[in-house]
Amino acid sequence: MLHSPEEEILAKACEAIYKFALKGEENKATLLELGAVEPLTKLITHEDKIVRRNATMILGILTSNNDVKKLLRELDVMNSVIAQLTPEEEVVIHEFASLCLANMSTEYTGKVQIFEHGGLEPLLRLLSSPDPDVKKNSIECIYNLVQDFQCRTTFQELNAIPPVLDLLKSEYPVIQLFALKMLGVITNDKKSQAMLRDSQGLDHLIKILDTKELNDLHIEALSVVANCLEDMDSILLIRQTGGLKKLLAFAENSTIPDIQKNAAKAIAKAAYDSESRKLFHEQEVEKCLVTLLGSESDGTQVAASQAISAMCGNAGSQDFFNTQGIPQLVRLLKSDNEEVQEAAALALASLTTCNPANANAAAEADALGPLTSTLSSKRDGAVANAATVLMNMAMQEPLRAAVQSQDVLQALIGPLGSANTVVQSKAALAVATTVCDVEARAELRNRGGLEPLVELLHSKNDEVRRHASYAIMVCAGDELTATELYRLGALDILEEISLSVRRKNKFSEAAYNKLLNHNLSLKYSQTGYLSSSNIISDGFYDYGRINPGTKLLPLKELCLQEPSDRRAVLLINNESVDGSLLMEDKSSDLSYRRSISSSSSLRRASKEKTTSLFSTGFGSPTELKSEPTSGRNTVLSKSATKEKGPRKGRGKKEEEKVKEEEEVLAIPKLTGESSPEKEWYPPPDPHFCTYVYDVTRSILPVTNVKEQVEVLAKYVAEKMGGKIPKDKLPDFSWELHISELKFQLKSNVIPIGYIKKGIFYHRALLFKALADKIGVGCSLVRGEYGRAWNEVKLLDPSWKGVTGAFSAPETWIVDLMFHPGALMKSGGREANLYQFL
């Protein structure tokens, strides 16, 4: 019958089909199966108004069926349906044509077809229709369409906000609701916010909020207001009209959780702008938010906490929350709802950042326990926020002990191993601020917290690597923790990072240098520089220059190697050894016995004192129990007493030669044949022990630093072969002497005290080692081609006695070769010749 050429039959058939379709979804599916949809799509453009009307009515109700909508999209009938929206058509046709479009617009493809066929403009025109059903269908369809960005742009171009605002005056709540929903979507855009403001839309919204009878619209109205509060001009307008106070009072006094939640969200959105925060603070928004924190609704508590976090950009707000917000937030940390915990921790993190007073307030509110518990939350945001608060608290020295007492370090180990980079970053920062003392670092080390921290250095995230490096830099503050970090491979990873231009950062460089400061042998080999604060201790060895990335073999392994043609490894060792080891086969040698006697007396003195005088270089010379009788300190005594007379003795050179040979023969075998069960010790150096004793007794008491440097330089030069004229340097057979020592020791490792013929780098190392023992600040710098030198900082003597004058210390190079004891100004011609030529 739908194919009949007679209009009356068509009209009656359509009428019957319409009544059948109204009875339910099954009937609609039946009509689809019977093939009624396709002929109906042709009848909606029929010349007869009644046929056209009835066909449109059928399609309007059939499109609630998904299969019908799918078929209509395939038949591409959208243009025909939109054509029924012309002003000339009957209201009934408008109603069902707009219903058809509203149903079709629920799916993305349908929205695209409606927009592409120009359906938005005729739908906007129907908003002024006298029929409420037409308005309802049209606004519903428009609401669906503006979910798409392109449609929203066209909506703005058509200046469509005024007709939508007129719908807010409708007597039908469903129309008002759709209008508010559509405005809520549209006003996410700044341009639409301005258009709403210029159209006096804010007045309409405030009136709705003021009307208790319209409470079913309050939630959606608040959503629109929330968007508009992002616009500074809109806030000013609301404030001028008294709407802002009404809004806050409305949110505070409402008993509907969703309204309170949306109000808090509105404040949070607007508060991200500094000017908005200022206005809110003037309106005492803080009181409203604190009230909302006490709501029984989890959603309201979350929204209020987020709003407080946003308001923390205002200093006045932070001060207010110090007493009236922080205690409530701490209570929320104990909530069973983890989303509430996360929001409360976020607010506390914002409140305590760069605010010691709020950090103290959080501690007074007993936040430490709940925060520590939150670190085990399943929500990454909650963990990251809690770690941030703990970090802010630990940054305050008075609070750090309290933080440490809560087993925070144990609780942070889990977050360090999180898969979330934000959690990793915040946890590493919290560790860095907490382990500022030896006890805390020991706790972290003993609980296994260093391993996940080192693992974070492999992270591809720049912030995680930076914060992990910062934490490792702090952890490397003591020897034991630095040693453990070195064992875990932190130094190797940091070295690898330092070679990468993209991955390295200031903290990774600082952490690397901090760890190197606990391995001075490696530092000197890699960098060729030791500062005055790098104190050489026993066990230090100079392997020579190594390239970045090259591994430095441990001392034990180097000692057990056979001698080779490679550069000798210089060892510093002031540890005393049992005399029987050194007396082997040489008990009749007087000078050797004296060396052992000096070493033994040194050991006895160190045992009697709480701290070792000879390992630190500090202490009163009168505390020494005995003095060596060896003639090695003759020249030193002469220097200190300004040389009383010329030294006598015939055949001096022959005697020295015999003495040197005897000392070489007295050197014990370093590699040894000790059983594997015995503990390995570095090779002993009784001569260096004697040197330390000599300089401690004779140079340490000198009060003038410059004189100390000069006398020490002469002493070092004398022990290493004396003054060498520049023209005689090629004839100074130090290489043969070193080769003989290596042969006698059967090792490449030579204790520094055994070297009697040394050049630049031998003397500079000995000078630095002895200077460190007696507290004379100096640096050690490696040059090229066997050069090395020491730098000391001294005040310019020309300023002495000048009242009120101050001069920064100047750097001087110490001559240990050509004119021992002479000081050359750094950068000067003489210094350059000494360093480089």
Side-chain angles (χ1 to χ4, degrees), residues 281 285-291 293 304 307-312 314-329 347-348 351 358 361:
H281 178 61
V285 71
E286 297 87 358
K287 291 181 180 179
C288 172
L289 294 175
V290 170
T291 301
L293 285 178
I308 288 175
S309 175
M311 285 299 299
C312 285
N314 183 276
S317 296
Q318 287 200 3
D319 294 340
F320 180 92
F321 292 127
N322 180 275
T323 55
Q324 298 186 50
I326 289 178
Q328 290 88 333
L329 289 167
L348 286 171
L351 284 167
N358 284 347

PDB file of all heavy atoms in Angstrom, residues 281 285-291 293 304 307-312 314-329 347-348 351 358 361:
ATOM      1  N   HIS A 281      39.472  35.196  47.511  1.00  0.00           N
ATOM      2  CA  HIS A 281      39.974  35.422  48.870  1.00  0.00           C
ATOM      3  C   HIS A 281      39.262  36.614  49.516  1.00  0.00           C
ATOM      4  O   HIS A 281      38.919  36.589  50.709  1.00  0.00           O
ATOM      5  CB  HIS A 281      41.482  35.657  48.835  1.00  0.00           C
ATOM      6  CG  HIS A 281      42.081  35.948  50.176  1.00  0.00           C
ATOM      7  ND1 HIS A 281      42.031  35.051  51.228  1.00  0.00           N
ATOM      8  CD2 HIS A 281      42.727  37.060  50.654  1.00  0.00           C
ATOM      9  CE1 HIS A 281      42.632  35.582  52.285  1.00  0.00           C
ATOM     10  NE2 HIS A 281      43.053  36.805  51.952  1.00  0.00           N
ATOM     11  N   VAL A 285      36.241  32.871  50.393  1.00  0.00           N
ATOM     12  CA  VAL A 285      35.858  31.564  49.864  1.00  0.00           C
ATOM     13  C   VAL A 285      36.392  30.434  50.738  1.00  0.00           C
ATOM     14  O   VAL A 285      35.838  29.321  50.753  1.00  0.00           O
ATOM     15  CB  VAL A 285      36.375  31.416  48.411  1.00  0.00           C
ATOM     16  CG1 VAL A 285      37.886  31.260  48.388  1.00  0.00           C
ATOM     17  CG2 VAL A 285      35.713  30.229  47.724  1.00  0.00           C
ATOM     18  N   GLU A 286      37.443  30.721  51.512  1.00  0.00           N
ATOM     19  CA  GLU A 286      38.057  29.683  52.346  1.00  0.00           C
ATOM     20  C   GLU A 286      37.066  29.105  53.358  1.00  0.00           C
ATOM     21  O   GLU A 286      37.059  27.890  53.621  1.00  0.00           O
ATOM     22  CB  GLU A 286      39.289  30.235  53.075  1.00  0.00           C
ATOM     23  CG  GLU A 286      40.419  30.674  52.160  1.00  0.00           C
ATOM     24  CD  GLU A 286      40.287  32.108  51.695  1.00  0.00           C
ATOM     25  OE1 GLU A 286      39.269  32.755  52.060  1.00  0.00           O
ATOM     26  OE2 GLU A 286      41.176  32.603  50.985  1.00  0.00           O
ATOM     27  N   LYS A 287      36.237  29.971  53.921  1.00  0.00           N
ATOM     28  CA  LYS A 287      35.248  29.493  54.898  1.00  0.00           C
ATOM     29  C   LYS A 287      34.289  28.497  54.255  1.00  0.00           C
ATOM     30  O   LYS A 287      33.938  27.475  54.857  1.00  0.00           O
ATOM     31  CB  LYS A 287      34.470  30.675  55.467  1.00  0.00           C
ATOM     32  CG  LYS A 287      35.306  31.596  56.356  1.00  0.00           C
ATOM     33  CD  LYS A 287      34.444  32.732  56.900  1.00  0.00           C
ATOM     34  CE  LYS A 287      35.265  33.661  57.797  1.00  0.00           C
ATOM     35  NZ  LYS A 287      34.454  34.789  58.307  1.00  0.00           N
ATOM     36  N   CYS A 288      33.875  28.817  53.047  1.00  0.00           N
ATOM     37  CA  CYS A 288      32.960  27.930  52.324  1.00  0.00           C
ATOM     38  C   CYS A 288      33.615  26.569  52.084  1.00  0.00           C
ATOM     39  O   CYS A 288      33.004  25.518  52.297  1.00  0.00           O
ATOM     40  CB  CYS A 288      32.556  28.568  50.995  1.00  0.00           C
ATOM     41  SG  CYS A 288      31.602  27.498  49.898  1.00  0.00           S
ATOM     42  N   LEU A 289      34.888  26.584  51.676  1.00  0.00           N
ATOM     43  CA  LEU A 289      35.579  25.335  51.369  1.00  0.00           C
ATOM     44  C   LEU A 289      35.800  24.486  52.618  1.00  0.00           C
ATOM     45  O   LEU A 289      35.689  23.253  52.570  1.00  0.00           O
ATOM     46  CB  LEU A 289      36.919  25.637  50.686  1.00  0.00           C
ATOM     47  CG  LEU A 289      36.815  26.276  49.294  1.00  0.00           C
ATOM     48  CD1 LEU A 289      38.187  26.642  48.762  1.00  0.00           C
ATOM     49  CD2 LEU A 289      36.102  25.338  48.329  1.00  0.00           C
ATOM     50  N   VAL A 290      36.126  25.140  53.720  1.00  0.00           N
ATOM     51  CA  VAL A 290      36.313  24.396  54.966  1.00  0.00           C
ATOM     52  C   VAL A 290      34.995  23.737  55.381  1.00  0.00           C
ATOM     53  O   VAL A 290      34.972  22.597  55.863  1.00  0.00           O
ATOM     54  CB  VAL A 290      36.857  25.311  56.082  1.00  0.00           C
ATOM     55  CG1 VAL A 290      36.829  24.598  57.428  1.00  0.00           C
ATOM     56  CG2 VAL A 290      38.270  25.765  55.754  1.00  0.00           C
ATOM     57  N   THR A 291      33.894  24.460  55.179  1.00  0.00           N
ATOM     58  CA  THR A 291      32.580  23.881  55.487  1.00  0.00           C
ATOM     59  C   THR A 291      32.307  22.660  54.614  1.00  0.00           C
ATOM     60  O   THR A 291      31.821  21.629  55.085  1.00  0.00           O
ATOM     61  CB  THR A 291      31.466  24.927  55.270  1.00  0.00           C
ATOM     62  OG1 THR A 291      31.712  26.061  56.113  1.00  0.00           O
ATOM     63  CG2 THR A 291      30.100  24.349  55.584  1.00  0.00           C
ATOM     64  N   LEU A 293      34.446  20.676  53.375  1.00  0.00           N
ATOM     65  CA  LEU A 293      35.279  19.545  53.799  1.00  0.00           C
ATOM     66  C   LEU A 293      34.558  18.668  54.804  1.00  0.00           C
ATOM     67  O   LEU A 293      34.829  17.474  54.916  1.00  0.00           O
ATOM     68  CB  LEU A 293      36.599  20.037  54.419  1.00  0.00           C
ATOM     69  CG  LEU A 293      37.680  20.574  53.483  1.00  0.00           C
ATOM     70  CD1 LEU A 293      38.877  21.048  54.286  1.00  0.00           C
ATOM     71  CD2 LEU A 293      38.102  19.516  52.477  1.00  0.00           C
ATOM     72  N   ALA A 304      36.177  19.807  47.277  1.00  0.00           N
ATOM     73  CA  ALA A 304      36.620  20.875  48.187  1.00  0.00           C
ATOM     74  C   ALA A 304      38.131  20.820  48.396  1.00  0.00           C
ATOM     75  O   ALA A 304      38.801  21.861  48.434  1.00  0.00           O
ATOM     76  CB  ALA A 304      35.901  20.737  49.526  1.00  0.00           C
ATOM     77  N   ALA A 307      39.758  22.237  45.399  1.00  0.00           N
ATOM     78  CA  ALA A 307      39.616  23.696  45.379  1.00  0.00           C
ATOM     79  C   ALA A 307      40.607  24.350  46.337  1.00  0.00           C
ATOM     80  O   ALA A 307      41.198  25.397  46.025  1.00  0.00           O
ATOM     81  CB  ALA A 307      38.189  24.084  45.748  1.00  0.00           C
ATOM     82  N   ILE A 308      40.817  23.734  47.493  1.00  0.00           N
ATOM     83  CA  ILE A 308      41.800  24.267  48.451  1.00  0.00           C
ATOM     84  C   ILE A 308      43.195  24.229  47.835  1.00  0.00           C
ATOM     85  O   ILE A 308      43.977  25.178  47.974  1.00  0.00           O
ATOM     86  CB  ILE A 308      41.754  23.453  49.761  1.00  0.00           C
ATOM     87  CG1 ILE A 308      40.473  23.786  50.524  1.00  0.00           C
ATOM     88  CG2 ILE A 308      42.974  23.735  50.631  1.00  0.00           C
ATOM     89  CD1 ILE A 308      40.255  22.944  51.774  1.00  0.00           C
ATOM     90  N   SER A 309      43.490  23.140  47.145  1.00  0.00           N
ATOM     91  CA  SER A 309      44.784  23.034  46.473  1.00  0.00           C
ATOM     92  C   SER A 309      44.965  24.165  45.460  1.00  0.00           C
ATOM     93  O   SER A 309      46.035  24.771  45.376  1.00  0.00           O
ATOM     94  CB  SER A 309      44.896  21.675  45.771  1.00  0.00           C
ATOM     95  OG  SER A 309      46.084  21.592  45.028  1.00  0.00           O
ATOM     96  N   ALA A 310      43.899  24.450  44.706  1.00  0.00           N
ATOM     97  CA  ALA A 310      43.974  25.528  43.711  1.00  0.00           C
ATOM     98  C   ALA A 310      44.135  26.896  44.374  1.00  0.00           C
ATOM     99  O   ALA A 310      44.836  27.766  43.871  1.00  0.00           O
ATOM    100  CB  ALA A 310      42.730  25.517  42.834  1.00  0.00           C
ATOM    101  N   MET A 311      43.490  27.097  45.527  1.00  0.00           N
ATOM    102  CA  MET A 311      43.557  28.381  46.230  1.00  0.00           C
ATOM    103  C   MET A 311      44.902  28.619  46.911  1.00  0.00           C
ATOM    104  O   MET A 311      45.187  29.723  47.368  1.00  0.00           O
ATOM    105  CB  MET A 311      42.449  28.463  47.280  1.00  0.00           C
ATOM    106  CG  MET A 311      41.063  28.718  46.718  1.00  0.00           C
ATOM    107  SD  MET A 311      40.934  30.293  45.830  1.00  0.00           S
ATOM    108  CE  MET A 311      41.330  31.469  47.133  1.00  0.00           C
ATOM    109  N   CYS A 312      45.742  27.591  46.985  1.00  0.00           N
ATOM    110  CA  CYS A 312      47.035  27.732  47.667  1.00  0.00           C
ATOM    111  C   CYS A 312      47.979  28.681  46.937  1.00  0.00           C
ATOM    112  O   CYS A 312      49.024  29.055  47.481  1.00  0.00           O
ATOM    113  CB  CYS A 312      47.700  26.368  47.823  1.00  0.00           C
ATOM    114  SG  CYS A 312      46.940  25.370  49.114  1.00  0.00           S
ATOM    115  N   ASN A 314      47.360  31.617  46.550  1.00  0.00           N
ATOM    116  CA  ASN A 314      47.180  32.895  47.236  1.00  0.00           C
ATOM    117  C   ASN A 314      47.748  32.774  48.657  1.00  0.00           C
ATOM    118  O   ASN A 314      47.367  31.884  49.422  1.00  0.00           O
ATOM    119  CB  ASN A 314      45.689  33.253  47.289  1.00  0.00           C
ATOM    120  CG  ASN A 314      45.439  34.602  47.934  1.00  0.00           C
ATOM    121  OD1 ASN A 314      45.369  34.694  49.155  1.00  0.00           O
ATOM    122  ND2 ASN A 314      45.295  35.638  47.124  1.00  0.00           N
ATOM    123  N   ALA A 315      48.673  33.661  49.003  1.00  0.00           N
ATOM    124  CA  ALA A 315      49.336  33.588  50.316  1.00  0.00           C
ATOM    125  C   ALA A 315      48.350  33.750  51.456  1.00  0.00           C
ATOM    126  O   ALA A 315      48.452  33.074  52.494  1.00  0.00           O
ATOM    127  CB  ALA A 315      50.425  34.654  50.400  1.00  0.00           C
ATOM    128  N   GLY A 316      47.362  34.632  51.284  1.00  0.00           N
ATOM    129  CA  GLY A 316      46.364  34.835  52.325  1.00  0.00           C
ATOM    130  C   GLY A 316      45.549  33.579  52.582  1.00  0.00           C
ATOM    131  O   GLY A 316      45.213  33.252  53.731  1.00  0.00           O
ATOM    132  N   SER A 317      45.223  32.871  51.515  1.00  0.00           N
ATOM    133  CA  SER A 317      44.473  31.625  51.660  1.00  0.00           C
ATOM    134  C   SER A 317      45.298  30.587  52.410  1.00  0.00           C
ATOM    135  O   SER A 317      44.783  29.855  53.263  1.00  0.00           O
ATOM    136  CB  SER A 317      44.080  31.075  50.285  1.00  0.00           C
ATOM    137  OG  SER A 317      43.206  31.967  49.617  1.00  0.00           O
ATOM    138  N   GLN A 318      46.589  30.515  52.108  1.00  0.00           N
ATOM    139  CA  GLN A 318      47.454  29.562  52.812  1.00  0.00           C
ATOM    140  C   GLN A 318      47.471  29.856  54.309  1.00  0.00           C
ATOM    141  O   GLN A 318      47.431  28.939  55.129  1.00  0.00           O
ATOM    142  CB  GLN A 318      48.875  29.624  52.245  1.00  0.00           C
ATOM    143  CG  GLN A 318      49.015  28.999  50.872  1.00  0.00           C
ATOM    144  CD  GLN A 318      50.457  28.645  50.554  1.00  0.00           C
ATOM    145  OE1 GLN A 318      51.346  28.803  51.368  1.00  0.00           O
ATOM    146  NE2 GLN A 318      50.683  28.170  49.347  1.00  0.00           N
ATOM    147  N   ASP A 319      47.536  31.130  54.646  1.00  0.00           N
ATOM    148  CA  ASP A 319      47.540  31.503  56.070  1.00  0.00           C
ATOM    149  C   ASP A 319      46.222  31.105  56.739  1.00  0.00           C
ATOM    150  O   ASP A 319      46.207  30.647  57.889  1.00  0.00           O
ATOM    151  CB  ASP A 319      47.772  33.001  56.222  1.00  0.00           C
ATOM    152  CG  ASP A 319      49.164  33.419  55.750  1.00  0.00           C
ATOM    153  OD1 ASP A 319      50.037  32.539  55.671  1.00  0.00           O
ATOM    154  OD2 ASP A 319      49.367  34.607  55.460  1.00  0.00           O
ATOM    155  N   PHE A 320      45.115  31.288  56.025  1.00  0.00           N
ATOM    156  CA  PHE A 320      43.806  30.940  56.593  1.00  0.00           C
ATOM    157  C   PHE A 320      43.708  29.444  56.875  1.00  0.00           C
ATOM    158  O   PHE A 320      43.255  29.016  57.934  1.00  0.00           O
ATOM    159  CB  PHE A 320      42.689  31.366  55.627  1.00  0.00           C
ATOM    160  CG  PHE A 320      41.308  31.052  56.124  1.00  0.00           C
ATOM    161  CD1 PHE A 320      40.587  31.982  56.851  1.00  0.00           C
ATOM    162  CD2 PHE A 320      40.724  29.809  55.876  1.00  0.00           C
ATOM    163  CE1 PHE A 320      39.311  31.684  57.322  1.00  0.00           C
ATOM    164  CE2 PHE A 320      39.455  29.502  56.335  1.00  0.00           C
ATOM    165  CZ  PHE A 320      38.746  30.451  57.058  1.00  0.00           C
ATOM    166  N   PHE A 321      44.140  28.647  55.892  1.00  0.00           N
ATOM    167  CA  PHE A 321      44.022  27.196  56.033  1.00  0.00           C
ATOM    168  C   PHE A 321      44.977  26.635  57.079  1.00  0.00           C
ATOM    169  O   PHE A 321      44.850  25.473  57.465  1.00  0.00           O
ATOM    170  CB  PHE A 321      44.269  26.504  54.688  1.00  0.00           C
ATOM    171  CG  PHE A 321      43.195  26.769  53.666  1.00  0.00           C
ATOM    172  CD1 PHE A 321      43.519  27.259  52.407  1.00  0.00           C
ATOM    173  CD2 PHE A 321      41.871  26.518  53.962  1.00  0.00           C
ATOM    174  CE1 PHE A 321      42.538  27.490  51.463  1.00  0.00           C
ATOM    175  CE2 PHE A 321      40.873  26.743  53.022  1.00  0.00           C
ATOM    176  CZ  PHE A 321      41.210  27.238  51.766  1.00  0.00           C
ATOM    177  N   ASN A 322      45.911  27.442  57.543  1.00  0.00           N
ATOM    178  CA  ASN A 322      46.872  26.971  58.541  1.00  0.00           C
ATOM    179  C   ASN A 322      46.179  26.429  59.782  1.00  0.00           C
ATOM    180  O   ASN A 322      46.572  25.403  60.337  1.00  0.00           O
ATOM    181  CB  ASN A 322      47.829  28.111  58.901  1.00  0.00           C
ATOM    182  CG  ASN A 322      48.856  27.706  59.931  1.00  0.00           C
ATOM    183  OD1 ASN A 322      48.594  27.748  61.131  1.00  0.00           O
ATOM    184  ND2 ASN A 322      50.035  27.329  59.461  1.00  0.00           N
ATOM    185  N   THR A 323      45.132  27.103  60.200  1.00  0.00           N
ATOM    186  CA  THR A 323      44.439  26.690  61.432  1.00  0.00           C
ATOM    187  C   THR A 323      43.067  26.090  61.175  1.00  0.00           C
ATOM    188  O   THR A 323      42.580  25.285  61.963  1.00  0.00           O
ATOM    189  CB  THR A 323      44.268  27.900  62.375  1.00  0.00           C
ATOM    190  OG1 THR A 323      43.600  28.954  61.664  1.00  0.00           O
ATOM    191  CG2 THR A 323      45.631  28.388  62.859  1.00  0.00           C
ATOM    192  N   GLN A 324      42.440  26.447  60.052  1.00  0.00           N
ATOM    193  CA  GLN A 324      41.054  26.019  59.844  1.00  0.00           C
ATOM    194  C   GLN A 324      40.870  25.048  58.683  1.00  0.00           C
ATOM    195  O   GLN A 324      39.749  24.701  58.344  1.00  0.00           O
ATOM    196  CB  GLN A 324      40.162  27.241  59.609  1.00  0.00           C
ATOM    197  CG  GLN A 324      40.137  28.194  60.787  1.00  0.00           C
ATOM    198  CD  GLN A 324      39.132  29.306  60.575  1.00  0.00           C
ATOM    199  OE1 GLN A 324      37.985  29.062  60.231  1.00  0.00           O
ATOM    200  NE2 GLN A 324      39.561  30.542  60.801  1.00  0.00           N
ATOM    201  N   GLY A 325      41.967  24.627  58.062  1.00  0.00           N
ATOM    202  CA  GLY A 325      41.809  23.673  56.971  1.00  0.00           C
ATOM    203  C   GLY A 325      42.669  22.432  57.124  1.00  0.00           C
ATOM    204  O   GLY A 325      42.236  21.319  56.814  1.00  0.00           O
ATOM    205  N   ILE A 326      43.875  22.622  57.627  1.00  0.00           N
ATOM    206  CA  ILE A 326      44.816  21.503  57.714  1.00  0.00           C
ATOM    207  C   ILE A 326      44.309  20.393  58.642  1.00  0.00           C
ATOM    208  O   ILE A 326      44.380  19.212  58.276  1.00  0.00           O
ATOM    209  CB  ILE A 326      46.213  22.014  58.127  1.00  0.00           C
ATOM    210  CG1 ILE A 326      46.832  22.794  56.955  1.00  0.00           C
ATOM    211  CG2 ILE A 326      47.125  20.868  58.561  1.00  0.00           C
ATOM    212  CD1 ILE A 326      48.182  23.400  57.234  1.00  0.00           C
ATOM    213  N   PRO A 327      43.781  20.707  59.819  1.00  0.00           N
ATOM    214  CA  PRO A 327      43.273  19.605  60.673  1.00  0.00           C
ATOM    215  C   PRO A 327      42.186  18.771  59.999  1.00  0.00           C
ATOM    216  O   PRO A 327      42.171  17.542  60.122  1.00  0.00           O
ATOM    217  CB  PRO A 327      42.730  20.352  61.903  1.00  0.00           C
ATOM    218  CG  PRO A 327      43.494  21.632  61.943  1.00  0.00           C
ATOM    219  CD  PRO A 327      43.697  22.005  60.517  1.00  0.00           C
ATOM    220  N   GLN A 328      41.291  19.451  59.258  1.00  0.00           N
ATOM    221  CA  GLN A 328      40.223  18.715  58.569  1.00  0.00           C
ATOM    222  C   GLN A 328      40.798  17.830  57.455  1.00  0.00           C
ATOM    223  O   GLN A 328      40.347  16.708  57.238  1.00  0.00           O
ATOM    224  CB  GLN A 328      39.193  19.690  57.982  1.00  0.00           C
ATOM    225  CG  GLN A 328      38.344  20.395  59.016  1.00  0.00           C
ATOM    226  CD  GLN A 328      38.978  21.691  59.532  1.00  0.00           C
ATOM    227  OE1 GLN A 328      40.207  21.828  59.533  1.00  0.00           O
ATOM    228  NE2 GLN A 328      38.156  22.619  59.966  1.00  0.00           N
ATOM    229  N   LEU A 329      41.796  18.352  56.757  1.00  0.00           N
ATOM    230  CA  LEU A 329      42.418  17.575  55.679  1.00  0.00           C
ATOM    231  C   LEU A 329      43.143  16.346  56.236  1.00  0.00           C
ATOM    232  O   LEU A 329      43.131  15.272  55.621  1.00  0.00           O
ATOM    233  CB  LEU A 329      43.403  18.453  54.894  1.00  0.00           C
ATOM    234  CG  LEU A 329      42.768  19.533  54.021  1.00  0.00           C
ATOM    235  CD1 LEU A 329      43.818  20.521  53.544  1.00  0.00           C
ATOM    236  CD2 LEU A 329      42.052  18.904  52.819  1.00  0.00           C
ATOM    237  N   ALA A 347      45.887  18.557  48.593  1.00  0.00           N
ATOM    238  CA  ALA A 347      45.711  19.854  49.247  1.00  0.00           C
ATOM    239  C   ALA A 347      46.829  20.115  50.256  1.00  0.00           C
ATOM    240  O   ALA A 347      47.385  21.224  50.316  1.00  0.00           O
ATOM    241  CB  ALA A 347      44.352  19.908  49.941  1.00  0.00           C
ATOM    242  N   LEU A 348      47.186  19.093  51.027  1.00  0.00           N
ATOM    243  CA  LEU A 348      48.269  19.250  52.006  1.00  0.00           C
ATOM    244  C   LEU A 348      49.611  19.492  51.311  1.00  0.00           C
ATOM    245  O   LEU A 348      50.445  20.264  51.790  1.00  0.00           O
ATOM    246  CB  LEU A 348      48.356  18.014  52.892  1.00  0.00           C
ATOM    247  CG  LEU A 348      47.246  17.858  53.942  1.00  0.00           C
ATOM    248  CD1 LEU A 348      47.327  16.497  54.605  1.00  0.00           C
ATOM    249  CD2 LEU A 348      47.341  18.971  54.992  1.00  0.00           C
ATOM    250  N   LEU A 351      49.601  23.073  50.295  1.00  0.00           N
ATOM    251  CA  LEU A 351      49.665  23.964  51.457  1.00  0.00           C
ATOM    252  C   LEU A 351      51.049  23.996  52.083  1.00  0.00           C
ATOM    253  O   LEU A 351      51.481  25.037  52.606  1.00  0.00           O
ATOM    254  CB  LEU A 351      48.643  23.520  52.512  1.00  0.00           C
ATOM    255  CG  LEU A 351      47.177  23.867  52.237  1.00  0.00           C
ATOM    256  CD1 LEU A 351      46.262  23.110  53.180  1.00  0.00           C
ATOM    257  CD2 LEU A 351      46.945  25.373  52.378  1.00  0.00           C
ATOM    258  N   ASN A 358      52.892  26.017  57.545  1.00  0.00           N
ATOM    259  CA  ASN A 358      51.887  24.987  57.274  1.00  0.00           C
ATOM    260  C   ASN A 358      52.449  23.581  57.473  1.00  0.00           C
ATOM    261  O   ASN A 358      51.728  22.666  57.868  1.00  0.00           O
ATOM    262  CB  ASN A 358      51.347  25.137  55.849  1.00  0.00           C
ATOM    263  CG  ASN A 358      50.365  26.284  55.730  1.00  0.00           C
ATOM    264  OD1 ASN A 358      49.890  26.821  56.730  1.00  0.00           O
ATOM    265  ND2 ASN A 358      50.058  26.688  54.506  1.00  0.00           N
ATOM    266  N   ALA A 361      52.151  23.079  61.037  1.00  0.00           N
ATOM    267  CA  ALA A 361      50.740  22.868  61.393  1.00  0.00           C
ATOM    268  C   ALA A 361      50.313  21.441  61.068  1.00  0.00           C
ATOM    269  O   ALA A 361      49.557  20.816  61.827  1.00  0.00           O
ATOM    270  CB  ALA A 361      49.859  23.864  60.648  1.00  0.00           C
TER     271      ALA A 361
END
